[in-house]
Amino acid sequence: MQTPTSVYLDNAATTPLSDAARSAMEPFLGDRFGNASSVYAAGREARKAVDEARERVAVAVGARPDEVVFTSGGTEADNLALKGAAWHGREQGHDGVVVTMIEHHAVLDPARWLGKQGFRVSEAGVDASGVVRLDALKAATDGKTAIVSVMWANNEVGSVQPVAEAAAIARAAGAVFHSDAVQGMPWIEIDAESADLLSISAHKLGGPKGVGALIVRRGVKIQPLFHGGGQEREIRSGTYNVAGIAGFGAAIEDWVLHRASTVEHVAALRDGLQDAIVKGLTGVRVSASDGERLPNNLHLVIEGIDGESLILLLDAAGIAASQGSACSSGAAEPSHVLAAMGVSRDLARGALRLTLGPSTTDADVDRAATTVVDAVGKLRAR
Ligand code: PLP
């Protein structure tokens, strides 16, 4: 029989559905099944739910409701931003795409794909703490750059990026500035004014999977990925995922309401977890600890072990953890983020990411610390 997970420390991968989200969704999974674009009563009811959610998402990020473009999640929002801005830019004679080396694959891969379509693509490097080098970003950006994309915070090591400075570099060059705030949004007060395009995702903050948004500031022009019914100001066609959107709206409102106290709670627990593991083990390094880091993120590079084996031992003990990006786990390639930070291939094998959430307790942290120390001991003794 499979051991049930009793300590969940992978909140960067996804979060449990909040009560607020679940109750907002329920009616639309049942008899309120109308299409939000239909004009009769059932359609209007669905539309009302979408509009209320739009308002809630807008308030949470300091945007206007008509700037919210609902998508199927962070991946679609990122693709829409990168391709949409690049395609629009090309019409104005701009063919440059600038990203950082530590972006999520939802940004990196569309950028590289655009490169194959003839765009000039640059990937700016980062320092040893996982923070983009602004001089490199500036050097990569010119008067023909269509879009600059710098994530708000990194999903593996939690490093917070200098978004305001990056936006200034993009704007000085006349480029559109995009930020992937999928990981930043749950933990940092995000102001949509800081970017022209901003990606967020529901399932990282108590909402359902498969729904997110791209905030497209007024006056910013992008080409759509999907053509069809013309929903979302013709930027994103497709019948509304009413239940998902309603859940997203309720989740983000509820999350932001409690964010300050959650941050205080998880930061203290994270620091305790870090201390206990660092004291209990030799040959362990805390990633991105020199700069600003997400308060719920503890990323470790542990010498002399294989991280994948560690995750399996932790799982057998009922602890859910990850090596880094959930999307690339299982792949043999070491993390592109750690490589960009200058961590050797060999050391990067020993990566462990523990990400806390609002329901993490002192007991979870004590158990996780003891289990990690024990499991590393076992692996090293093999
Ligand atoms: N961007 C970042 C930084 C992420 O961490 C993730 C998910 O892990 C995504 C984008 C993709 O979001 P979604 O899972 O909603 O497609």
Side-chain angles (χ1 to χ4, degrees):
M1 206 183 82
Q2 224 181 333
T3 321
T5 293
S6 42
V7 179
Y8 183 71
L9 291 177
D10 203 14
N11 285 272
T14 197
T15 54
L17 193 69
S18 66
D19 292 341
R22 185 187 300 270
S23 39
M25 292 172 78
E26 260 160 10
F28 301 98
L29 298 169
D31 55 6
R32 297 199 190 174
F33 58 83
N35 184 324
S37 301
S38 301
V39 292
Y40 44 81
R44 293 198 304 273
E45 192 174 53
R47 164 67 64 169
K48 189 162 166 272
V50 169
D51 286 345
E52 279 171 9
R54 190 185 302 289
E55 180 82 37
R56 288 169 159 177
V57 170
V59 167
V61 297
R64 297 188 186 95
D66 65 3
E67 293 174 325
V68 177
V69 173
F70 286 116
T71 65
S72 65
T75 301
E76 187 192 327
D78 286 343
N79 272 265
L80 177 57
L82 270 282
K83 295 173 188 169
W87 290 333
H88 179 77
R90 185 161 54 188
E91 287 171 1
Q92 326 298 312
H94 291 185
D95 66 346
V97 174
V98 179
V99 300
T100 78
M101 286 170 81
I102 59 160
E103 294 303 311
H104 189 275
H105 279 291
V107 166
L108 264 189
D109 291 4
R112 290 173 183 170
W113 180 83
L114 286 163
K116 291 188 193 139
Q117 314 298 311
F119 285 89
R120 287 180 299 130
V121 178
S122 310
E123 296 175 19
V126 299
D127 62 19
S129 303
V131 176
V132 65
R133 293 183 188 279
L134 290 168
D135 52 347
L137 195 75
K138 196 168 178 185
T141 308
D142 60 33
K144 297 260 182 214
T145 302
I147 178 168
V148 175
S149 180
V150 176
M151 68 199 325
W152 211 287
N154 181 260
N155 47 298
E156 292 188 34
V157 298
S159 51
V160 176
Q161 304 301 310
V163 169
E165 291 84 348
I169 289 171
R171 286 170 179 161
V176 166
F177 180 69
H178 168 247
S179 186
D180 173 343
V182 169
Q183 295 289 344
M185 180 66 208
W187 306 107
I188 301 169
E189 207 172 305
I190 300 282
D191 181 2
E193 250 183 39
S194 317
D196 301 312
L197 300 168
L198 188 82
S199 301
I200 50 176
S201 177
H203 75 106
K204 308 291 188 184
L205 38 71
K209 291 159 188 61
V211 58
L214 182 68
I215 310 299
V216 181
R217 300 315 305 270
R218 269 188 201 169
V220 176
K221 296 211 164 52
I222 58 171
Q223 294 282 339
L225 292 181
F226 304 164
H227 300 85
Q231 288 89 344
E232 300 298 82
R233 295 192 279 138
E234 306 220 334
I235 296 172
R236 203 282 187 176
S237 285
T239 299
Y240 287 103
N241 169 6
V242 180
I245 290 171
F248 183 17
I252 201 168
E253 183 181 77
D254 184 57
W255 187 285
V256 169
L257 190 67
H258 301 108
R259 186 167 51 198
S261 57
T262 309
V263 165
E264 216 177 289
H265 165 76
V266 298
L269 288 177
R270 188 274 312 268
D271 291 347
L273 181 60
Q274 177 174 320
D275 282 353
I277 296 178
V278 168
K279 282 197 187 110
L281 286 176
T282 55
V284 55
R285 258 198 256 166
V286 181
S287 307
S289 57
D290 290 342
E292 196 191 341
R293 206 174 15 143
L294 291 178
N296 75 321
N297 177 298
L298 176 58
H299 186 282
L300 302 165
V301 173
I302 307 172
E303 281 171 30
I305 59 137
D306 166 42
E308 195 83 30
S309 308
L310 177 59
I311 304 297
L312 294 176
L313 279 185
L314 295 178
D315 179 37
I319 295 176
S322 146
Q323 276 212 276
S325 162
C327 316
S328 59
S329 72
E333 273 306 293
S335 150
H336 67 285
V337 175
L338 295 181
M341 289 164 65
V343 178
S344 74
R345 220 183 145 86
D346 196 40
L347 259 184
R349 282 178 54 242
L352 173 67
R353 183 187 70 182
L354 302 167
T355 47
L356 290 67
S359 55
T360 307
T361 63
D362 279 310
D364 291 343
V365 161
D366 289 347
R367 197 171 135 196
T370 313
T371 315
V372 168
V373 171
D374 266 15
V376 170
K378 278 188 199 143
L379 289 173
R380 284 181 175 161
R382 273 184 187 172

